[in-house]
Amino acid sequence: MSVFCEVPQAAPVAVFKLSQDFSNDQFPKKVNLGVGAYRTDEGQPWVLPVVKKVEKIIVHDDRLNHEYLPILGLPEFRSSASKIALGDDSPAIQENRVGAVQCLGGTGALKMGAEFLRRFYNGNNNTKTPVYVSAPTWENHNAVFANAGFEDVRPYKYWDAEKRGLDLKGFLGDLESCPEHSIFVLHACAHNPTGTDPTQEQWQQIAEVMMRRKLFVFFDSAYQGFASGSLEKDAWAVRFFVSMGFEMFCAQSFSKNFGLYNERVGNLTVVAHDADNLKRILSQMEKIVRTTWSNPPSQGARIVAITINSPELFNEWKDNVKTMADRVLLMRAQLKAKLQALETPGTWDHITEQIGMFSFTGLNPKQVEYMVKEKHIYLMASGRINMCGLTTKNIDYVAESIHEAVTKVQ
């Protein structure tokens, strides 16, 4: 008998299970709207032209080797990634109170921040500090904080299902009523899964309450540039909170905006009160990294650092990102127009009002089941679809299938 005979079978990760089911499906018109990755209008992954160019530069640079990086990561990657988030002219950077840790993707950056906060925020090893995540949110948010030892992960109001938009009143109410020093995980832009972001005025209201109530700001920035096509516009909320004087964390992912999904390129930007605090924070983060992944891989970080630090390559990257963002915006406009032309019951304005890779369609679980089983269109049970899965070849089929699901299934 095995010593592991009592290990229970874990449930599969929903989004990867969906992709597996899609792969196994033999239906010729099947469509995958599940996994969060960019696709071209041919339905293929896209290696950014600028990434191909930089990979060639790296291959032919004889000065490079495979020695260990510093524990906190490639210095030029960390500093340039933080500048992308906070802006070149950020006073916090000029005051030497911004630092960073290169992490394994955005998930690794969240993990690093969560591990540090559990150890050193709101007392030492305080597992009782409430951590608030939006309702709904990316499912890994709950798990990462719970896994770091936080015992009280709670939802805050965010999505108004009836309006198909932001529940600002509920959000502000939760900020007012939560315990002081609670941690709030905020989506910097292109909220996953709803695609609904606060306006700049709403962000100002949110920041005012968070400052007054002494709440900790932890931004998750997975889509900078990818949401609107503008790096500056997508970083507005993060930069505004920094300008308000918050000490805060920002987890950054370069999976989407560089197309480097499997290179696991992430960064945790730390905005501290002053240089002395920053030094002590990073010294403890170094200890956490040492027992977690010891030190990070170089390839993806080099690609990002070389690109951002060359004006010519940086401009080419911004064009590549805009290409992706514009295709998503086009698919949104076309899907809405087709549903309206079909006179599909309900309102569909939210499809173009939302932003980024995902749209929260408003389809209920039974309608989603109909889409998957009867129409072979794979989407998350929440009704979230990846807009990049739509193409000029399949969008009519998808729109007609949504129409059918809404009219036939209540």
Side-chain angles (χ1 to χ4, degrees), residues 141-152:
H141 280 153
N142 290 280
V144 166
F145 281 88
N147 204 255
F150 285 100
E151 296 169 25
D152 191 1

PDB file of all heavy atoms in Angstrom, residues 141-152:
ATOM      1  N   HIS A 141      -6.452  34.908  -7.114  1.00  0.00           N
ATOM      2  CA  HIS A 141      -6.258  35.896  -6.043  1.00  0.00           C
ATOM      3  C   HIS A 141      -6.570  35.291  -4.678  1.00  0.00           C
ATOM      4  O   HIS A 141      -5.780  35.402  -3.732  1.00  0.00           O
ATOM      5  CB  HIS A 141      -7.139  37.130  -6.266  1.00  0.00           C
ATOM      6  CG  HIS A 141      -6.577  38.086  -7.269  1.00  0.00           C
ATOM      7  ND1 HIS A 141      -7.365  38.940  -8.017  1.00  0.00           N
ATOM      8  CD2 HIS A 141      -5.299  38.340  -7.642  1.00  0.00           C
ATOM      9  CE1 HIS A 141      -6.602  39.664  -8.812  1.00  0.00           C
ATOM     10  NE2 HIS A 141      -5.343  39.319  -8.602  1.00  0.00           N
ATOM     11  N   ASN A 142      -7.746  34.670  -4.563  1.00  0.00           N
ATOM     12  CA  ASN A 142      -8.135  34.045  -3.295  1.00  0.00           C
ATOM     13  C   ASN A 142      -7.085  33.030  -2.859  1.00  0.00           C
ATOM     14  O   ASN A 142      -6.645  33.029  -1.706  1.00  0.00           O
ATOM     15  CB  ASN A 142      -9.481  33.315  -3.453  1.00  0.00           C
ATOM     16  CG  ASN A 142     -10.636  34.272  -3.634  1.00  0.00           C
ATOM     17  OD1 ASN A 142     -11.135  34.838  -2.683  1.00  0.00           O
ATOM     18  ND2 ASN A 142     -11.040  34.476  -4.875  1.00  0.00           N
ATOM     19  N   ALA A 143      -6.708  32.166  -3.787  1.00  0.00           N
ATOM     20  CA  ALA A 143      -5.822  31.048  -3.458  1.00  0.00           C
ATOM     21  C   ALA A 143      -4.426  31.514  -3.052  1.00  0.00           C
ATOM     22  O   ALA A 143      -3.831  30.972  -2.120  1.00  0.00           O
ATOM     23  CB  ALA A 143      -5.739  30.095  -4.655  1.00  0.00           C
ATOM     24  N   VAL A 144      -3.885  32.513  -3.742  1.00  0.00           N
ATOM     25  CA  VAL A 144      -2.522  32.978  -3.439  1.00  0.00           C
ATOM     26  C   VAL A 144      -2.441  33.531  -2.012  1.00  0.00           C
ATOM     27  O   VAL A 144      -1.508  33.218  -1.262  1.00  0.00           O
ATOM     28  CB  VAL A 144      -2.048  34.045  -4.471  1.00  0.00           C
ATOM     29  CG1 VAL A 144      -0.806  34.778  -3.976  1.00  0.00           C
ATOM     30  CG2 VAL A 144      -1.754  33.378  -5.814  1.00  0.00           C
ATOM     31  N   PHE A 145      -3.434  34.332  -1.630  1.00  0.00           N
ATOM     32  CA  PHE A 145      -3.391  34.925  -0.281  1.00  0.00           C
ATOM     33  C   PHE A 145      -3.692  33.881   0.797  1.00  0.00           C
ATOM     34  O   PHE A 145      -3.053  33.876   1.853  1.00  0.00           O
ATOM     35  CB  PHE A 145      -4.322  36.134  -0.198  1.00  0.00           C
ATOM     36  CG  PHE A 145      -3.717  37.365  -0.813  1.00  0.00           C
ATOM     37  CD1 PHE A 145      -3.864  37.630  -2.166  1.00  0.00           C
ATOM     38  CD2 PHE A 145      -2.957  38.240  -0.052  1.00  0.00           C
ATOM     39  CE1 PHE A 145      -3.269  38.739  -2.752  1.00  0.00           C
ATOM     40  CE2 PHE A 145      -2.355  39.352  -0.622  1.00  0.00           C
ATOM     41  CZ  PHE A 145      -2.510  39.605  -1.981  1.00  0.00           C
ATOM     42  N   ALA A 146      -4.633  32.992   0.529  1.00  0.00           N
ATOM     43  CA  ALA A 146      -4.929  31.925   1.486  1.00  0.00           C
ATOM     44  C   ALA A 146      -3.694  31.025   1.657  1.00  0.00           C
ATOM     45  O   ALA A 146      -3.320  30.649   2.767  1.00  0.00           O
ATOM     46  CB  ALA A 146      -6.124  31.104   1.021  1.00  0.00           C
ATOM     47  N   ASN A 147      -3.040  30.730   0.536  1.00  0.00           N
ATOM     48  CA  ASN A 147      -1.857  29.872   0.544  1.00  0.00           C
ATOM     49  C   ASN A 147      -0.676  30.508   1.280  1.00  0.00           C
ATOM     50  O   ASN A 147       0.187  29.820   1.809  1.00  0.00           O
ATOM     51  CB  ASN A 147      -1.467  29.562  -0.902  1.00  0.00           C
ATOM     52  CG  ASN A 147      -0.675  28.280  -1.024  1.00  0.00           C
ATOM     53  OD1 ASN A 147       0.528  28.324  -1.220  1.00  0.00           O
ATOM     54  ND2 ASN A 147      -1.335  27.144  -0.880  1.00  0.00           N
ATOM     55  N   ALA A 148      -0.655  31.846   1.319  1.00  0.00           N
ATOM     56  CA  ALA A 148       0.417  32.557   2.040  1.00  0.00           C
ATOM     57  C   ALA A 148       0.139  32.598   3.546  1.00  0.00           C
ATOM     58  O   ALA A 148       0.955  33.101   4.308  1.00  0.00           O
ATOM     59  CB  ALA A 148       0.564  33.971   1.490  1.00  0.00           C
ATOM     60  N   GLY A 149      -1.034  32.090   3.946  1.00  0.00           N
ATOM     61  CA  GLY A 149      -1.330  31.997   5.372  1.00  0.00           C
ATOM     62  C   GLY A 149      -2.409  32.936   5.876  1.00  0.00           C
ATOM     63  O   GLY A 149      -2.765  32.900   7.056  1.00  0.00           O
ATOM     64  N   PHE A 150      -2.951  33.787   4.991  1.00  0.00           N
ATOM     65  CA  PHE A 150      -4.038  34.676   5.425  1.00  0.00           C
ATOM     66  C   PHE A 150      -5.319  33.858   5.626  1.00  0.00           C
ATOM     67  O   PHE A 150      -5.733  33.125   4.733  1.00  0.00           O
ATOM     68  CB  PHE A 150      -4.271  35.793   4.399  1.00  0.00           C
ATOM     69  CG  PHE A 150      -3.217  36.870   4.436  1.00  0.00           C
ATOM     70  CD1 PHE A 150      -2.181  36.883   3.520  1.00  0.00           C
ATOM     71  CD2 PHE A 150      -3.261  37.866   5.405  1.00  0.00           C
ATOM     72  CE1 PHE A 150      -1.197  37.871   3.558  1.00  0.00           C
ATOM     73  CE2 PHE A 150      -2.282  38.854   5.457  1.00  0.00           C
ATOM     74  CZ  PHE A 150      -1.253  38.854   4.538  1.00  0.00           C
ATOM     75  N   GLU A 151      -5.932  34.016   6.789  1.00  0.00           N
ATOM     76  CA  GLU A 151      -7.092  33.192   7.138  1.00  0.00           C
ATOM     77  C   GLU A 151      -8.418  33.845   6.803  1.00  0.00           C
ATOM     78  O   GLU A 151      -9.469  33.212   6.905  1.00  0.00           O
ATOM     79  CB  GLU A 151      -7.055  32.885   8.653  1.00  0.00           C
ATOM     80  CG  GLU A 151      -5.868  32.051   9.069  1.00  0.00           C
ATOM     81  CD  GLU A 151      -5.719  31.989  10.579  1.00  0.00           C
ATOM     82  OE1 GLU A 151      -6.736  32.155  11.288  1.00  0.00           O
ATOM     83  OE2 GLU A 151      -4.583  31.783  11.050  1.00  0.00           O
ATOM     84  N   ASP A 152      -8.378  35.127   6.407  1.00  0.00           N
ATOM     85  CA  ASP A 152      -9.624  35.881   6.244  1.00  0.00           C
ATOM     86  C   ASP A 152      -9.630  36.621   4.903  1.00  0.00           C
ATOM     87  O   ASP A 152      -9.373  37.821   4.843  1.00  0.00           O
ATOM     88  CB  ASP A 152      -9.753  36.866   7.419  1.00  0.00           C
ATOM     89  CG  ASP A 152     -11.132  37.516   7.495  1.00  0.00           C
ATOM     90  OD1 ASP A 152     -11.988  37.190   6.648  1.00  0.00           O
ATOM     91  OD2 ASP A 152     -11.339  38.351   8.393  1.00  0.00           O
TER      92      ASP A 152
END
